[in-house]
Amino acid sequence: MNPCSCLRLGVLFLSLLAPATISVGAAPTQTPPPNILLIVGDDMGYADVGFHGCKDIPTPNLDALAAAGVRFTSGYVSGPYCSPTRAGLLTGKYQQRFGHEFNPTGSDGLPVTETTLADRLKAAGYATGLVGKWHLGFQPKMHPQQRGFTEFYGFLGGEHSYFDSTSIQRDTTPVKEMDYTTDAFGREAVAFIQRHKENPWFLYLAFNAVHTPMHATADRLAKFPGIADKQRRTYAAMMIAMDEAIGHVRQTLAQTGQETNTLICFISDNGGPTMKGVTVNGASNLPLRGSKRTTLEGGIRVPFVVAWPGHLKPGVFYSPAIQLDLHVTALAAAGVEVKPEWQLDGVNLLPFLTGEKTGAPHDALYWRLGQQMAIRAGDYKLVRHDQNADTQTGVQQQPVTAAKLYDLRRDIGETNDLAAAQPEKLRELQTRWNKWNATLATPLWGQSSTPPGNRNGKKPGAGFKRKTRQANSK
Ligand code: CA
């Protein structure tokens, strides 16, 4: 590969600020470490943001964030669905290393032997909070407040109604939430940012938007008379709710004087679910091929932005990066030293974004989800993916395809298989993947037959049905 081509040199270091580690009695003249705001969308399509060219859904606040920061064209997640990506994000390690390969069910969750980003930033003196979706276990010992988050407002499962407070808690106490949950999560994020403006803080704002169930408010649905497809219209209405919430959050940062002292990262946890017959939400991953739950690009390449106004010059970053990097990047910004024994897989992106380092952050990126696999090294990708990714039939003779080789620079849509033409490249990538695969753990639990993930064993009650009929466009 040609690493230099991956970085547009417009991304420059504006400040050589080295944040001081927080310590009691630190001199007041020291620059305080920045706040860390990690925003995660859920099941968003790669195509469905204005900064990727989306035309039918306006995302002005996400576009403004991207324009104020660095937009990644090859930003990836290590899991093609919800919980594994979150496990990787919060630990900074490929989640398959500790067996968190699939969505957990029942009593399973992020192993308590793992340390989270919240644990690390809390130890560095940060105020820590999670607003939104957890999806890393229901057991009391796995509760966010046992995993480094001092404050919690949200739900523990993998999905939730947007009109019902069935499983919403503040800390460990169930609450009666009257707002549409995306609005509520925006409200709680704003309150957290205002509450902690005097101290460094870490906020993990994990929306469940735009995951199913497809619930939107009537006023937002009314903004899309031109979208004929009802599911896409609902999706659009859910997207703009999240976009508005992010706008409120950024407005609060500006109003409280925290704009240039807050590192903001935004990703979707996986690609849009587009395989008919499983779960779909109206997302589009074009021009990428494939869906959530596949190791094709559509499952793993996502909208990905890192913004730190006044410190990172806005630009575009072309080299592959992965959500594991955000963990290490956040630690670096906070002045937390990464210890070798932590065995993190993420890379600090800051020197690459400032131009201090050139080249690619990673020699290769890797994926495994059961028998699906992928490796991207430079422009080349080797992949074995779910056979249903294209057929959309729900019937399969074999679980995965044979190994396919693609040149993503020339073929972002993964249509021209080079496996027969370039057998040496195929063998090289397979060998590299095999070496990585040999370092992984046996999955701690199996792949659930119910793809949407953990529903907390609860079925929607009568109130749920009554409320959602009013605004659900189905
Ligand atoms: Ca998801």
Side-chain angles (χ1 to χ4, degrees):
M1 68 175 298
N2 175 10
C4 292
S5 67
C6 295
L7 176 65
R8 179 175 286 176
L9 292 175
V11 182
L12 292 171
F13 208 19
L14 289 188
S15 165
L16 287 168
L17 175 78
T21 306
I22 308 170
S23 59
V24 177
T29 52
Q30 278 188 299
T31 307
N35 309 309
I36 308 291
L37 174 57
L38 206 46
I39 308 176
V40 176
D42 197 347
D43 286 14
M44 284 174 61
Y46 184 80
D48 296 330
V49 284
F51 63 88
H52 284 177
C54 183
K55 299 296 183 202
D56 60 342
I57 305 172
T59 55
N61 294 295
L62 278 167
D63 297 349
L65 176 66
V70 181
R71 171 172 68 84
F72 290 66
T73 61
S74 290
Y76 288 95
V77 286
S78 60
Y81 53 28
C82 308
S83 184
T85 286
R86 291 152 202 272
L89 177 67
L90 289 188
T91 61
K93 298 194 282 193
Y94 281 109
Q95 66 278 357
Q96 303 94 335
R97 288 199 193 284
F98 50 87
H100 201 123
E101 189 158 333
F102 304 112
N103 275 345
T105 55
S107 61
D108 296 323
L110 182 67
V112 294
T113 45
E114 297 302 320
T115 304
T116 72
L117 180 59
D119 289 323
R120 292 180 174 133
L121 290 174
K122 186 179 180 181
Y126 275 63
T128 56
L130 162 60
V131 172
K133 163 171 161 174
W134 178 235
H135 208 185
L136 291 174
F138 289 105
Q139 288 192 59
K141 66 181 179 183
M142 296 172 176
H143 189 274
Q145 290 180 295
Q146 302 299 319
R147 312 308 302 268
F149 294 98
T150 303
E151 301 179 25
F152 171 54
Y153 187 91
F155 62 97
L156 298 175
E159 64 178 50
H160 199 278
S161 164
Y162 294 77
F163 287 112
D164 192 292
S165 61
T166 308
S167 303
I168 305 281
Q169 352 180 314
R170 185 181 300 283
D171 298 334
T172 55
T173 306
V175 297
K176 184 67 184 168
E177 175 58 65
M178 302 305 289
D179 285 340
Y180 180 73
T181 53
T182 304
D183 295 330
F185 295 154
R187 179 197 73 211
E188 293 294 325
V190 163
F192 180 92
I193 291 166
Q194 290 173 332
R195 193 158 60 238
H196 296 290
K197 65 184 177 194
E198 303 300 336
N199 300 101
W201 49 260
F202 165 49
L203 176 62
Y204 174 35
L205 176 53
F207 291 102
N208 56 315
V210 281
H211 196 296
T212 54
M214 302 309 290
H215 293 169
T217 57
D219 60 327
R220 294 191 179 105
L221 281 169
K223 292 182 177 178
F224 296 98
I227 300 181
D229 180 88
K230 286 184 177 178
Q231 190 173 52
R232 177 75 176 173
R233 189 163 76 230
T234 308
Y235 176 86
M238 295 166 73
M239 276 289 296
I240 64 167
M242 179 168 67
D243 188 75
E244 286 172 23
I246 291 168
H248 294 318
V249 164
R250 290 194 70 223
Q251 199 174 24
T252 305
L253 291 174
Q255 288 169 348
T256 54
Q258 302 182 81
E259 198 169 27
T260 60
N261 197 34
T262 301
L263 173 70
I264 306 179
C265 305
F266 175 83
I267 57 167
S268 176
D269 68 338
N270 49 254
T274 58
M275 278 195 288
K276 299 280 189 287
V278 191
T279 307
V280 295
N281 65 357
S284 169
N285 296 317
L286 294 175
L288 308 181
R289 176 185 171 194
S291 167
K292 173 184 179 181
R293 284 185 285 277
T294 76
T295 49
L296 288 163
E297 294 291 284
I300 55 177
R301 194 195 291 212
V302 295
F304 195 119
V305 173
V306 174
W308 191 3
H311 299 266
L312 294 175
K313 187 175 178 181
V316 183
F317 193 71
Y318 296 95
S319 189
I322 194 162
Q323 103 281 14
L324 312 174
D325 300 335
L326 301 179
H327 183 116
V328 180
T329 301
L331 292 178
V336 176
E337 183 191 355
V338 173
K339 303 220 164 66
E341 59 266 31
W342 295 353
Q343 297 186 306
L344 304 189
D345 293 308
V347 169
N348 175 18
L349 296 173
L350 292 176
F352 294 93
L353 302 182
T354 60
E356 186 186 344
K357 283 187 182 174
T358 57
H362 298 271
D363 292 334
L365 296 175
Y366 305 89
W367 291 266
R368 187 180 84 179
L369 184 81
Q371 295 185 64
Q372 293 191 73
M373 59 77 73
I375 171 175
R376 178 171 177 178
D379 293 331
Y380 282 94
K381 178 178 173 184
L382 181 73
V383 57
R384 287 183 177 81
H385 63 81
D386 186 331
Q387 288 198 353
N388 286 334
D390 299 315
T391 61
Q392 305 181 343
T393 63
V395 178
Q396 55 190 26
Q397 299 301 316
Q398 294 177 348
V400 294
T401 63
K404 310 282 187 181
L405 180 68
Y406 298 110
D407 178 350
L408 294 176
R409 176 180 293 273
R410 292 165 186 81
D411 180 23
I412 195 174
E414 297 175 283
T415 58
N416 183 25
D417 179 18
L418 304 171
Q422 300 191 37
E424 286 182 13
K425 176 58 77 173
L426 187 151
R427 274 195 297 275
E428 175 209 324
L429 293 184
Q430 183 69 58
T431 300
R432 292 174 75 172
W433 185 86
N434 291 348
K435 192 176 170 188
W436 173 78
N437 187 50
T439 69
L440 304 183
T442 301
L444 287 170
W445 52 83
Q447 190 158 12
S448 169
S449 58
T450 52
N454 204 327
R455 290 175 172 162
N456 201 16
K458 292 182 179 177
K459 290 187 183 298
F464 174 91
K465 287 175 186 165
R466 176 177 47 75
K467 286 178 185 172
T468 54
R469 257 203 308 272
Q470 298 166 359
N472 189 350
S473 72
K474 273 184 187 171

